[in-house]
Amino acid sequence: EAQVTQNPRYLITVTGKKLTVTCSQNMNHEYMSWYRQDPGLGLRQIYYSMNVEVTDKGDVPEGYKVSRKEKRNFPLILESPSPNQTSLYFCASSPIRGQGVGYTFGSGTRLTVV
Amino acid sequence: GENVEQHPSTLSVQEGDSAVIKCTYSDSASNYFPWYKQELGKRPQLIIDIRSNVGEKKDQRIAVTLNKTAKHFSLHITETQPEDSAVYFCAASREDKIIFGKGTRLHILP
């Protein structure tokens, strides 16, 4: 089954403790992206990747890192999480480079930083 | 910077009536306009999309219209049903970027 898999689904952590949210897709998609969703603010792009070893900042990249060493994986790293990073996170992938064509979203990760 | 405005933020319609959600975009280079539906606690899912060389597209009860000159596009849902209750997001995309609207929460009243 074609899908984008995110882990974990729920995470509660403490301020300053490094964490990684994993994202993996099995559709051989070139384009992958991370979003955060907050009430009243919609979906805001954190980082995106056009292909392996190619990543770029989205609209709200501060406090986040990503890597794209393999085509299928695009982990989101919070080196020192803070409470303002409490949010619902979605990973997404698309087969066509640079566009939202056929965007498939992961199931989401609800992160709470206390 | 580029942005996508979406209205209304909340919409309540009687079951069986039509619902219309409108979006405007600022980046004239945008050439692809998808709509996503997000049910409570679930991921956004693509429900319909339109490219800039098309003015209208329909899929059963859902249709999208695009006015490139005015830079706005709309989602139309006819004969609404309880399962249409969700948050709907519009988006405008160009080669290297996609920008989402802030979403519309649609309530279908019995």
Side-chain angles (χ1 to χ4, degrees):
Chain A
E1 179 190 350
Q3 58 186 359
V4 177
T5 304
Q6 274 181 247
N7 280 298
R9 288 293 307 275
Y10 302 92
L11 179 59
I12 300 174
T13 190
V14 296
T15 299
K17 186 177 181 182
K18 180 180 178 179
L19 66 90
T20 299
V21 184
T22 63
C23 174
S24 181
Q25 49 92 6
N26 62 0
M27 297 167 282
N28 202 36
H29 285 177
E30 287 189 348
Y31 187 87
M32 297 185 74
S33 183
W34 276 102
Y35 291 88
R36 62 177 289 174
Q37 184 175 23
D38 302 288
L41 298 178
L43 291 158
R44 293 182 293 168
Q45 191 176 46
I46 303 170
Y47 268 94
Y48 64 94
S49 170
M50 304 275 263
N51 214 326
V52 176
E53 302 291 2
V54 180
T55 64
D56 210 344
K57 296 177 181 178
D59 299 312
V60 288
E62 295 78 20
Y64 304 95
K65 284 175 57 177
V66 293
S67 69
R68 188 90 182 272
K69 294 185 171 61
E70 307 164 277
K71 199 170 189 179
R72 62 183 293 125
N73 295 324
F74 190 46
L76 179 69
I77 303 156
L78 284 72
E79 294 271 3
S80 183
S82 62
N84 65 10
Q85 292 179 298
T86 292
S87 187
L88 177 59
Y89 291 85
F90 286 102
C91 179
S93 73
S94 168
I96 295 181
R97 176 176 170 164
Q99 287 193 12
V101 174
Y103 242 176
T104 302
F105 284 87
S107 298
T109 296
R110 187 167 291 282
L111 172 65
T112 302
V113 183
V114 298
Chain B
E2 303 98 344
N3 73 317
V4 174
E5 298 281 342
Q6 183 171 346
H7 297 281
S9 56
T10 306
L11 177 61
S12 296
V13 301
Q14 212 69 38
E15 183 179 346
D17 288 350
S18 295
V20 180
I21 302 170
K22 299 182 179 182
C23 290
T24 59
Y25 61 97
S26 59
D27 187 355
S28 55
S30 297
N31 55 12
Y32 172 70
F33 306 90
W35 285 87
Y36 294 85
K37 175 183 180 182
Q38 186 179 27
E39 296 176 0
L40 191 63
K42 296 192 176 179
R43 73 190 81 188
Q45 292 195 294
L46 180 71
I47 55 171
I48 195 167
D49 55 14
I50 191 167
R51 295 193 173 278
S52 58
N53 58 349
V54 175
E56 184 173 357
K57 183 176 179 181
K58 190 173 181 180
D59 182 4
Q60 298 183 340
R61 296 187 296 109
I62 294 172
V64 57
T65 59
L66 171 65
N67 183 329
K68 276 213 76 178
T69 304
K71 294 185 194 166
H72 61 70
F73 56 113
S74 301
L75 178 71
H76 305 253
I77 306 174
T78 58
E79 300 172 15
T80 52
Q81 300 170 2
E83 54 264 37
D84 295 329
S85 292
V87 176
Y88 292 81
F89 292 96
C90 65
S93 173
R94 64 175 198 216
E95 184 179 329
D96 62 347
K97 196 172 183 69
I98 180 170
I99 300 175
F100 287 88
K102 288 186 170 46
T104 296
R105 185 172 296 279
L106 176 63
H107 298 279
I108 305 301
L109 306 172

